[in-house]
Amino acid sequence: MSVDTSSLAAPSLFVGDVTLRKLDDDIYRPLESFPTIRWWLAIAITGTLAAIFVLCAAYTVVRGIGVWGNNVPVAWAFDIVNFVFWIGIGHAGTLISAILFLFRQRWRTGIARFAEAMTVFAVICALQFPLLHTGRPWLAMFWLVPYPNGQGIYPNFRSPLEWDVFAVSTYGLVSAMFWFTGLLPDLATARDRAVHPFRKLVYGILSLGWKGSNRAWSHYEKAYLLFAGLSTPLVLSVHSIVSFDFAVSVIPGWHTTIFPPYFVAGAVFSGFAMVATLIIIMRKMFRLQHLVTDNHLELMNKIIIATSLMVGYAYAIELFIAWYGGVSYERYAFLNRALGPFAWAYWIMVTCNVLVPQLLWFKKVRRTVLLMYPIVLLVNVGMWFERFVIIVTSLHRDFLPSSWGDYKPTLIDFGLLVGSFGVFLTLMLLFCRFLPTIAATELKVILSESQSQGGGHE
Amino acid sequence: MSAELGQSLNDFVPPPKPCTGLRNAALVLSAIGAALSLTAAFNETHRVRLGFGYLWGFVFVWSAALGSLFFVGLQHLVRAVWSVVVRRVAEMFAASIWLVALSFVPILLYCFSHGGASLFPWLDAEHVSHDALLQQKQPYLNLPFFAARAAAFFALWIGFAVFFTQNSLKQDVGRSSVEPAVRMRKASAPFMLVFAVTTTFASFDWLMSLEPHWFSTIFGVYVFSGMVVTALALITITTIGLRSSGRLGSGVVGDGHLYNLGVLMFAFVCFWAYIAFSQYMLIWYGNIPEESFYLVRRFEGGWLFVSVALGVVRFVVPFLALLSRSAKTNPTRLLWVSIFLLAGQLLDLYWLIMPQLHPDRPILGWQELGPVLMLVGILILFVSHFLERHLPVSVGDPLFEESLRFYI
Amino acid sequence: MSKSREKVVGVVGLYDDPSSLLRAAEGVRDAGFTRWDCHTPFPVHGLDRAMGLKSSPLPTLALTAGLIGVLAAFVLTGGLNALHYPIRIAGKPMLSWQAFVPIYFEMFVLFSALTIMGSLFVFCGLGRWHSPLHDSGVMSEITGARFAIVLGADDRMYSQADAKTLLEATGCRDIRPLVQFEEEDDAII
């Protein structure tokens, strides 16, 4: 009757004719067929990298962290850079599963499971670095966890490093529980689809006897909502607390009040870039382009450019206030970042995080995999360098010129960095093989709603 | 078919009618405020307090208008459907930005006058000549640049406010195409960019530079978070008021819409607390004199009470009041929380501005309240004027019908 | 299946779409059944009301647990750093709540989340792996794409003929007996 509003409608989340039955077939196919040669090749490569991580970690533990490049004044370097980087990667998963859920963004469903898995694995990778940095990880329990001990000494709860212990362990645990709760009904489907008794047994045990009973659904939905409600402030708190590691100190370039929201925005930025990087490969590998559509990619790219601008805002405000505040140490710290010995790292950061993502203003770029893929890869690089710039450049120039120093990473540093990617990607590959990569149950809700309305869109 | 459309829309929303009561109340309020302000203006000792009070009222109406403009832009940016039925209220407040611009003129004139230095210390050439820090800041903190920035900010805000409001009002007449809606969506992303930069620097100029030695990188975000809470509270109050007075028609704003407003309000109350705590805790922890003196002044003597009250009014009470699901659909509860939050915004701005004037203890007198009453009265006058001429709901929005169907 | 002894413990009606399940659930509810349940591949909007279920106590539990967590964090941080072994750090007061807030918050979330997970086990019967639905061979239909109503034989209202008639009246065309292998002894609902 009135004007055609289809150009304003929400983008379709499915391509082609998708039915409830066909949905299950598509999503569970990778679980139920023998891995392809490409998968074996991929895991051989990532497994090798993971082995490098294990070797470098073992070498570090045996010889001590002197094998790293860190030395006073640059006492934190690759280890903390990697820690912050990996924690940040995880944040996109929680954002997608919790915040977008609370805001009823239905497109999240296609990518949520994958991103949540990333969160859990990224936290696992992140945890390795501070533990290794303690030098004697087997004593970390004594230093970090407040348990009654013979000396009667307890951790210093005023230390942001101790806050990290609480924040990161809570975050890892809650993310894993949230992820598992979402998986439950899908595991039950996997159990009931399984033909081989062993598969049936494993998925049966994992699904904890889920029966799809509505008396259970009633509590389940509430629990899911509560998990989302808890995870939303949790994800903000985690990267804020990570930023406190730096910001509560009085080091120029570290002590600045915008750090908490700036770190959260940066974490979401890098996390989304990583989700995009991997999910594009995943959907191609498992032929799921009709469930993780170009519309999904476009929406993710919009979040990437939004968070890129937030990060750019923080860079600009930091520079402005460094000048406006008039504190000579602050002014020097920022001049040194842009023009000092690590200027190359600073400009890599600015280019990859602020300049290049501006290309995403164009719809064509957002929707073309070949055009957006280099951009999201560069964002991954840029966000690693952001942490490098913050940590290393602020430390290598101490207050007194006599205490200035330089920083050079060693081969072991690079081995651990590259190896952590190996650990992460190996876990992701295993996940793609053994668990449903798309939240089938949630997708069924959306599918049944859109079918009962007789259209492909809301 | 416009006839059919017109028919169906009339069922929903009654045509605009005079709102005499609101207008008279606003007239009385602004008249009292103006009388108090004028009285203060002609007395040398009261004039200084009037200056601070005027800035207080100005920043309050500014945050209401600009926060509403942000709400409008945000709805277009995220392509929200549910908010179509409440967006007009936000557009109305956003449209008042030109009045805010007008009310900035006295501040500017005051700055050019001799008395301006009592408000912004960096205007005092004598004072600056003894202060190395302020001399360093001269390239930014000088009157011509300050005025030019304000002019540029207001030009941009008025431009966007006119653009969003006019395109929306155009649809009321008759829906011929989706063109205006598409245009607004396209403009929303650049708007956000402009909004972020201008709001930050405006808050540096008008609030942070009151104490020109102090600086905080999060300050723009802090002011922004309070601004959004204020806009949401105003939108909620107005929507509930319009609904209960029957101006909104029946069945336009339902529980689902109220719930979403409640959720957003709750979220931004938490966001404000997060930002406020981050700023406070980092300065407290770092304990560097360059920045901690700002907080020390606010956590000593009578100001300690204001600081604690700020946390209670802006966070603890609204947080607890909005925590449960049923609270977010309860109009009475939402109304009271919103009023509370508006008081919280006034308190917050008082906390930011007034320690400059009364460093030892908080003082509140008619000299400060007069201009606030006047400016708020003028804002209400604008609202009544708007409601007499325009529909309170954007019935012509292409997604209006879909928005009506929103439930939780 | 070599299982020989089966006993009938109820009846299952299968539906093909959520809307007919909703109508049927209202019918069963109005008939006064208490030992019955709906089984669906995904949560169906409005089914709680159609079944007459009370709302979940989870939010209250989660909030209570969270507050206990905050209290625990308060005792932990203040008790250890201010009373048991007072350490003066960076000139901060002993009971510097500002520096403990992050831990208060994390403990709120931790306690709350663990309680939610634990409650799920209790309320949703997680960890009870067996169900007559497996024995009756309908589970794979439910987790796939169909919707079921189960009437338990232990209901006061239950008699096999009546239950079947009731389901037929709701428009169900696929009604099967709910069976259980003899050696199992599980709760039906």
Side-chain angles (χ1 to χ4, degrees):
Chain A
M1 57 161 240
S2 60
V3 292
D4 176 29
T5 60
S6 58
S7 61
L8 297 174
S12 169
L13 302 178
F14 303 102
V15 172
D17 190 26
V18 182
T19 64
L20 287 180
R21 273 290 174 203
K22 203 167 154 296
L23 192 74
D24 276 350
D25 290 341
D26 290 339
I27 293 176
Y28 293 94
R29 193 197 317 112
L31 282 63
E32 290 162 354
S33 52
F34 192 74
T36 58
I37 185 80
R38 279 189 301 180
W39 186 85
W40 286 111
L41 269 176
I43 202 155
I45 296 169
T46 63
T48 312
L49 292 177
I52 291 177
F53 180 86
V54 173
L55 286 176
C56 290
Y59 187 66
T60 304
V61 170
V62 171
R63 294 287 309 274
I65 57 167
V67 300
W68 294 351
N70 311 17
N71 211 338
V72 173
V74 188
W76 283 2
F78 265 41
D79 49 345
I80 307 297
V81 174
N82 296 343
F83 164 69
V84 180
F85 175 78
W86 280 117
I87 287 282
I89 294 297
H91 278 43
T94 320
L95 183 101
I96 292 167
S97 55
I99 300 181
L100 296 185
F101 176 78
L102 293 182
F103 282 110
R104 288 188 285 265
Q105 296 292 310
R106 289 144 45 115
W107 63 274
R108 73 177 263 289
T109 310
I111 56 171
R113 170 69 43 73
F114 191 79
E116 285 168 31
M118 266 185 46
T119 300
V120 176
F121 303 148
V123 173
I124 291 174
C125 286
L127 272 174
Q128 310 307 317
F129 290 97
L131 280 180
L132 281 176
H133 195 180
T134 61
R136 297 178 183 82
W138 56 94
L139 292 180
M141 164 86 177
F142 165 65
W143 292 319
L144 303 176
V145 181
Y147 79 105
N149 56 71
Q151 286 87 338
I153 305 174
Y154 290 92
N156 168 24
F157 294 107
R158 292 184 198 90
S159 162
L161 304 183
E162 185 64 20
W163 304 345
D164 261 345
V165 174
F166 279 80
V168 176
S169 55
T170 303
Y171 182 53
L173 205 58
V174 173
S175 300
M177 290 196 291
F178 195 14
W179 183 50
F180 182 68
T181 308
L183 265 170
L184 263 182
D186 288 0
L187 288 169
T189 310
R191 166 197 71 197
D192 296 334
R193 287 174 61 93
V195 185
H196 195 280
F198 179 71
R199 298 177 58 85
K200 214 175 183 61
L201 180 73
V202 172
Y203 287 119
I205 291 171
L206 285 177
S207 63
L208 297 173
W210 181 259
K211 294 179 261 297
S213 143
N214 193 59
R215 288 174 199 276
W217 277 127
S218 168
H219 296 291
Y220 176 93
E221 282 200 282
K222 214 34 146 212
Y224 202 81
L225 186 69
L226 287 171
F227 270 133
L230 283 175
S231 299
T232 301
L234 178 65
V235 72
L236 263 82
S237 81
V238 172
H239 228 65
S240 298
I241 288 174
V242 169
S243 83
F244 291 159
D245 289 347
F246 309 103
V248 300
S249 73
V250 292
I251 309 269
W254 283 12
H255 180 76
T256 182
T257 48
I258 206 170
F259 255 33
Y262 153 43
F263 265 51
V264 173
V268 172
F269 178 50
S270 66
F272 261 89
M274 186 63 93
V275 175
T277 308
L278 296 182
I279 210 164
I280 287 173
I281 300 176
M282 191 279 285
R283 69 173 198 162
K284 177 105 181 121
M285 226 166 152
F286 296 132
R287 295 194 296 281
L288 292 171
Q289 280 103 328
H290 58 302
L291 300 178
V292 182
T293 64
D294 288 349
N295 287 332
H296 288 88
L297 296 185
E298 182 175 10
L299 288 162
M300 286 165 71
N301 283 331
K302 283 183 175 174
I303 292 190
I304 290 177
I305 181 153
T307 42
S308 156
L309 290 169
M310 289 181 204
V311 170
Y313 168 90
Y315 296 165
I317 295 298
E318 270 191 339
L319 279 177
F320 174 76
I321 294 287
W323 172 80
Y324 175 90
V327 181
S328 48
Y329 297 107
E330 286 285 335
R331 286 186 173 187
Y332 175 74
F334 282 89
L335 271 180
N336 183 44
R337 271 185 195 177
L339 305 170
F342 291 103
W344 54 274
Y346 182 82
W347 293 108
I348 288 179
M349 165 188 108
V350 171
T351 310
C352 294
N353 291 349
V354 186
L355 301 180
V356 173
Q358 300 309 316
L359 289 170
L360 293 172
W361 281 97
F362 301 102
K363 195 182 178 80
K364 173 104 176 126
V365 179
R366 289 197 300 264
R367 297 190 65 88
T368 312
V369 170
L370 278 178
L371 292 177
M372 61 160 279
Y373 206 70
I375 299 177
V376 295
L377 281 179
L378 283 178
V379 171
N380 287 318
V381 174
M383 281 309 291
W384 189 88
F385 272 100
E386 180 192 298
R387 280 66 175 250
F388 180 84
V389 166
I390 291 172
I391 293 171
V392 173
T393 65
S394 289
L395 288 176
H396 84 127
R397 291 288 178 258
D398 215 326
F399 287 97
L400 293 174
S402 59
S403 319
W404 287 4
D406 199 3
Y407 173 69
K408 262 205 182 65
T410 62
L411 212 55
I412 302 295
D413 279 318
F414 283 109
L416 284 170
L417 169 61
V418 175
S420 66
F421 275 91
V423 174
F424 177 73
L425 293 174
T426 306
L427 289 168
M428 284 309 284
L429 279 169
L430 290 174
F431 155 74
C432 287
R433 189 38 69 189
F434 294 111
L435 294 171
T437 45
I438 292 182
T441 304
E442 279 189 58
L443 216 51
K444 284 178 190 170
V445 180
I446 293 180
L447 192 60
S448 99
E449 275 172 16
S450 67
Q451 280 173 349
S452 68
Q453 284 167 16
H457 56 79
E458 294 179 63
Chain B
M1 278 190 282
S2 58
E4 193 181 323
L5 183 70
Q7 183 61 43
S8 64
L9 296 181
N10 278 345
D11 295 344
F12 286 120
V13 184
K17 55 178 192 274
C19 20
T20 330
L22 193 67
R23 196 180 54 217
N24 290 343
L27 278 172
V28 172
L29 206 62
S30 41
I32 295 174
L36 292 175
S37 306
L38 277 175
T39 317
F42 286 107
N43 179 312
E44 191 72 42
T45 49
H46 293 329
R47 202 181 299 147
V48 175
R49 291 178 67 179
L50 173 71
F52 277 87
Y54 191 89
L55 184 71
W56 185 27
F58 162 75
V59 178
F60 181 71
V61 291
W62 168 70
S63 62
L66 196 59
S68 301
L69 185 58
F70 168 76
F71 180 86
V72 174
L74 182 69
Q75 302 314 315
H76 289 299
L77 184 71
V78 303
R79 313 190 161 186
V81 175
W82 72 272
S83 62
V84 169
V85 297
V86 296
R87 211 184 55 222
R88 175 58 51 81
V89 174
E91 285 162 358
M92 172 174 77
F93 286 110
S96 73
I97 192 81
W98 65 268
L99 264 181
V100 178
L102 270 187
S103 62
F104 186 70
V105 174
I107 295 183
L108 210 53
L109 293 176
Y110 187 57
C111 286
F112 276 106
S113 82
H114 181 63
S118 66
L119 191 57
F120 294 106
W122 49 268
L123 281 171
D124 187 348
E126 169 67 18
H127 178 63
V128 171
S129 67
H130 298 299
D131 192 320
L133 262 180
L134 291 191
Q135 280 167 21
Q136 285 185 9
K137 296 184 187 195
Q138 282 278 293
Y140 184 78
L141 291 181
N142 63 71
L143 191 50
F145 192 22
F146 176 82
R149 281 197 302 270
F153 297 159
F154 276 115
L156 286 166
W157 295 332
I158 292 174
F160 275 109
V162 167
F163 171 79
F164 283 121
T165 326
Q166 289 306 318
N167 270 306
S168 173
L169 287 172
K170 210 185 291 171
Q171 293 174 328
D172 285 6
V173 184
R175 187 191 301 168
S176 52
S177 81
V178 295
E179 191 53 40
V182 173
R183 254 203 314 271
M184 287 191 280
R185 279 187 178 183
K186 286 214 172 107
S188 60
F191 162 72
M192 283 297 165
L193 203 58
V194 170
F195 170 82
V197 175
T198 52
T199 307
T200 305
F201 282 95
S203 63
F204 288 173
D205 283 2
W206 303 336
L207 294 169
M208 202 163 86
S209 82
L210 287 170
E211 176 46 86
H213 283 176
W214 188 70
F215 56 91
S216 169
T217 42
I218 209 176
F219 195 76
V221 186
Y222 179 80
V223 172
F224 159 76
S225 63
M227 172 187 280
V228 180
V229 172
T230 309
L232 287 168
L234 266 181
I235 294 165
T236 309
I237 292 176
T238 316
T239 304
I240 293 173
L242 285 170
R243 189 170 83 154
S244 60
S245 71
R247 282 172 176 270
L248 221 47
S250 60
V252 171
V253 172
D255 278 0
H257 304 101
L258 285 186
Y259 178 77
N260 269 11
L261 281 174
V263 168
L264 278 178
M265 205 142 63
F266 182 73
F268 273 96
V269 161
C270 296
F271 183 69
W272 177 86
Y274 162 64
I275 296 296
F277 179 75
S278 296
Q279 172 170 276
Y280 164 71
M281 196 275 283
L282 288 177
I283 293 176
W284 171 85
Y285 210 120
N287 206 12
I288 308 177
E290 285 97 306
E291 47 178 27
S292 62
F293 76 98
Y294 192 84
L295 287 184
V296 169
R297 181 178 295 163
R298 284 162 177 76
F299 281 83
E300 275 180 352
W303 284 105
L304 175 65
F305 174 74
V306 180
S307 298
V308 173
L310 188 60
V312 173
V313 175
R314 282 220 99 155
F315 175 64
V316 178
V317 172
F319 176 83
L320 294 176
L322 289 176
L323 190 59
S324 83
R325 189 184 171 86
S326 57
K328 298 186 193 90
T329 54
N330 179 346
T332 324
R333 175 78 66 97
L334 283 176
L335 198 61
W336 282 110
V337 172
S338 302
I339 291 170
F340 209 75
L341 286 172
L342 289 185
Q345 171 74 351
L346 275 171
L347 187 67
D348 192 359
L349 298 176
Y350 185 80
W351 183 82
L352 287 172
I353 294 171
M354 293 300 175
Q356 282 310 110
L357 177 63
H358 309 293
D360 300 326
R361 62 200 167 88
I363 297 171
L364 185 61
W366 58 273
Q367 301 93 330
E368 285 100 3
L369 279 174
V372 177
L373 290 182
M374 179 175 76
L375 291 171
V376 170
I378 291 174
L379 180 67
I380 301 176
L381 206 60
F382 174 85
V383 167
S384 69
H385 185 81
F386 188 97
L387 288 176
E388 283 173 5
R389 271 156 194 76
H390 305 293
L391 288 173
V393 185
S394 55
V395 289
D397 192 290
L399 298 173
F400 174 69
E401 284 90 342
E402 205 178 324
S403 174
L404 287 178
R405 283 197 299 268
F406 179 79
Y407 63 93
I408 44 164
Chain C
M1 285 279 162
S2 59
K3 297 278 169 37
S4 49
R5 317 260 325 243
E6 295 178 344
K7 64 176 178 194
V8 175
V9 291
V11 62
V12 196
L14 287 161
Y15 303 80
D16 287 323
D17 59 293
S19 48
S20 35
L21 176 83
L22 275 173
R23 276 193 302 276
E26 284 167 0
V28 176
R29 176 196 65 195
D30 294 342
F33 272 81
T34 51
R35 307 287 298 164
W36 69 292
D37 204 343
C38 295
H39 292 261
T40 55
F42 52 81
V44 174
H45 194 85
L47 190 54
D48 289 357
R49 189 175 298 168
M51 281 180 73
L53 295 184
K54 283 197 293 249
S55 67
S56 171
L58 267 176
T60 322
L61 283 173
L63 181 67
T64 315
L67 292 176
I68 293 172
V70 173
L71 195 69
F74 181 76
V75 172
L76 184 76
T77 52
L80 292 182
N81 274 179
L83 294 175
H84 177 74
Y85 197 107
I87 328 173
R88 177 79 69 191
I89 306 270
K92 302 285 182 274
M94 287 300 174
L95 259 180
S96 50
W97 62 270
Q98 296 94 333
F100 297 147
V101 164
I103 293 182
Y104 300 162
F105 177 76
E106 299 303 331
M107 291 276 273
F108 178 95
V109 174
L110 184 66
F111 275 52
S112 194
L114 286 172
T115 306
I116 296 171
M117 198 69 218
S119 310
L120 269 186
F121 271 81
V122 177
F123 292 137
C124 301
L126 298 185
R128 292 212 303 264
W129 275 274
H130 198 264
S131 160
L133 289 164
H134 285 297
D135 299 346
S136 316
V138 290
M139 191 63 108
S140 60
E141 306 215 29
I142 293 165
T143 53
R146 293 187 80 190
F147 306 82
I149 289 186
V150 174
L151 302 179
D154 48 357
D155 197 295
R156 278 186 300 112
M157 306 277 296
Y158 186 89
S159 81
Q160 200 145 349
D162 283 358
K164 265 197 145 154
T165 329
L166 178 62
L167 288 180
E168 270 162 8
T170 63
C172 184
R173 258 167 271 140
D174 186 357
I175 302 174
R176 305 180 196 176
L178 183 71
V179 295
Q180 189 171 47
F181 299 140
E182 199 77 306
E183 62 271 29
E184 310 279 0
D185 188 23
D186 282 303
I188 300 160
I189 304 302

